[in-house]
Amino acid sequence: MYSIHMIPGIRMTAPSQLSALTTRNTRLFTLLLERELKKTGLRSGQLPVLQALQDGKILNQKALADFADIEQPGMTTLLARMERDGLIQREPDPTDRRSTLVTLTPDGQRKSRNIVPVMEHLTNTALKGFTPLERDILVTLLERITSSLKSQL
Amino acid sequence: MYSIHMIPGIRMTAPSQLSALTTRNTRLFTLLLERELKKTGLRSGQLPVLQALQDGKILNQKALADFADIEQPGMTTLLARMERDGLIQREPDPTDRRSTLVTLTPDGQRKSRNIVPVMEHLTNTALKGFTPLERDILVTLLERITSSLKSQL
DNA sequence: ATGGAATACATAACATGTTATGTATTGAGA
DNA sequence: TCTCAATACATAACATGTTATGTATTCCAT
């Protein structure tokens, strides 16, 4: 499958600080992402919503929360900020009066087109020097962790 | 905690989900960690402070912020909550009137003894099925990412 | 010795997320 | 049909983190 010879800098020490490492990487990545997005008027938390609503798609808030993998109240407040900033539009669902349908505004659509190049650039920065094999190994290991953690929920 | 999710249109097969994977793992790990810590009366953000002040060590707020790798205002508010909750004590540094010296209270010391087993258990959960080699590969790759991202700051 | 830069901390405003809880609407079974 | 559970959303309270900014103190170069 994969071999230690292909991983430079291998140390054989205990990953006692695994969570610190992933947390640090997440915060660093988000920090750099926010810097890039600042030029486009977007924030990192908005990206899943913009992605989910691309191509004129219409979703209610529950579907957006599921897609973004956050709780419903978090999505409610996020969408309130995005509506305030003119990125999305909310209107009542005519078929279900509990539900609110969300769409991108033209400005939201326009700004969301900047996301892909920004994410590509940052991902390449994070994985600088990684061989394709190393990328695959990393993703495989991370997916196994996700699976293990989700099984504990 | 910010949330970076899968962005469409990135063609690289697997690593396009890198930030989504690490972010999801971080949130999942933190969620499970908070559940465990709830029994001990601690919160996840407090752990670096408790660790840094173990064995009666005395540090000022700047040193704690550096250790925890967060900004100074974040540490100030964190320490205010921890002081409110009786985990730490703050007193003026007699040798530098700008500085505040922080120590653990007896209760903080007592509660902090629960951290290591909790973290070990959760880390083993996250890395369930990993061989020692796979653990080291993972840590090595994550550290390379940290290094690449930090070089962009 | 002193004046200006650097340092340590605090505060405000905010984004992002979590629980807990309340309200209105919908749906489903007796 | 009617009641009761489930669903969708909102709100409150909070933790954790970020910038931006202000204040007080200390350090250093002249």
Side-chain angles (χ1 to χ4, degrees):
Chain A
M1 189 91 169
Y2 45 84
S3 150
I4 189 174
H5 311 302
M6 299 168 171
I7 312 291
I10 196 74
R11 276 184 357 287
M12 302 302 285
T13 58
S16 54
Q17 304 293 347
L18 172 75
S19 68
L21 268 175
T22 59
T23 300
R24 173 179 210 118
N25 279 345
T26 299
R27 282 229 317 279
L28 278 170
F29 194 95
T30 303
L31 193 66
L32 295 172
L33 178 60
E34 291 273 0
R35 283 189 191 172
E36 290 298 316
L37 289 178
K38 200 163 201 172
K39 307 166 186 167
T40 73
L42 297 176
R43 303 295 300 261
S44 60
Q46 301 167 348
L47 301 194
V49 174
L50 297 170
Q51 176 192 354
L53 298 179
Q54 271 182 348
D55 308 318
K57 283 196 276 290
I58 306 174
L59 295 174
N60 66 23
Q61 304 193 176
K62 176 60 162 61
L64 287 171
D66 289 344
F67 182 85
D69 198 28
I70 64 175
E71 302 301 320
Q72 168 261 317
M75 182 53 69
T76 292
T77 59
L78 170 61
L79 290 174
R81 290 191 300 273
M82 292 181 73
E83 190 174 40
R84 176 201 65 190
D85 297 341
L87 295 172
I88 58 129
Q89 195 175 351
R90 286 194 283 189
E91 44 189 336
D93 183 342
T95 76
D96 186 340
R97 285 192 293 171
R98 296 169 301 178
S99 187
T100 303
L101 298 180
V102 186
T103 51
L104 290 187
T105 62
D107 189 49
Q109 292 178 29
R110 185 181 57 72
K111 286 179 175 167
S112 70
R113 285 195 270 277
N114 297 314
I115 296 175
V116 169
V118 166
M119 289 299 295
E120 273 188 356
H121 174 253
L122 275 182
T123 301
N124 285 332
T125 296
L127 299 180
K128 186 177 178 182
F130 276 55
T131 66
L133 174 60
E134 286 171 337
R135 295 178 177 222
D136 286 339
I137 290 171
L138 176 66
V139 169
T140 300
L141 297 179
L142 291 178
E143 284 175 342
R144 282 167 58 188
I145 291 176
T146 301
S147 172
S148 295
L149 291 177
K150 284 182 74 174
S151 76
Q152 296 297 309
L153 293 180
Chain B
M1 193 82 37
Y2 298 90
S3 176
I4 316 301
H5 293 267
M6 289 176 289
I7 303 302
I10 299 183
R11 314 154 331 269
M12 299 177 309
T13 50
S16 64
Q17 311 170 12
L18 171 74
S19 66
L21 274 173
T22 60
T23 300
R24 167 167 217 133
N25 281 345
T26 297
R27 282 231 318 280
L28 279 171
F29 195 96
T30 302
L31 194 66
L32 295 172
L33 178 59
E34 292 273 0
R35 283 189 192 174
E36 290 295 318
L37 289 178
K38 200 163 203 173
K39 308 166 186 169
T40 74
L42 297 177
R43 304 294 303 258
S44 60
Q46 303 167 346
L47 301 194
V49 174
L50 297 170
Q51 179 188 350
L53 298 178
Q54 271 180 351
D55 307 319
K57 284 195 275 290
I58 305 174
L59 295 175
N60 65 23
Q61 304 193 179
K62 176 61 162 58
L64 286 170
D66 289 344
F67 181 85
D69 198 28
I70 64 175
E71 300 302 320
Q72 169 262 315
M75 182 53 70
T76 292
T77 58
L78 170 61
L79 291 174
R81 290 191 299 272
M82 292 180 73
E83 190 173 40
R84 176 201 64 190
D85 297 341
L87 295 171
I88 57 127
Q89 195 174 352
R90 287 194 283 190
E91 45 189 335
D93 183 342
T95 75
D96 185 341
R97 285 191 294 170
R98 297 169 299 179
S99 186
T100 303
L101 298 180
V102 185
T103 52
L104 290 187
T105 63
D107 189 48
Q109 293 178 30
R110 186 181 56 75
K111 286 179 175 167
S112 70
R113 285 195 270 277
N114 297 312
I115 297 175
V116 169
V118 166
M119 290 299 294
E120 275 186 357
H121 173 253
L122 274 182
T123 301
N124 286 332
T125 296
L127 300 180
K128 186 177 177 181
F130 276 55
T131 67
L133 174 60
E134 285 171 338
R135 294 178 177 226
D136 287 328
I137 290 172
L138 175 67
V139 170
T140 300
L141 296 179
L142 290 178
E143 284 176 342
R144 281 168 59 189
I145 291 175
T146 301
S147 172
S148 295
L149 291 177
K150 285 185 76 173
S151 77
Q152 296 298 308
L153 293 180

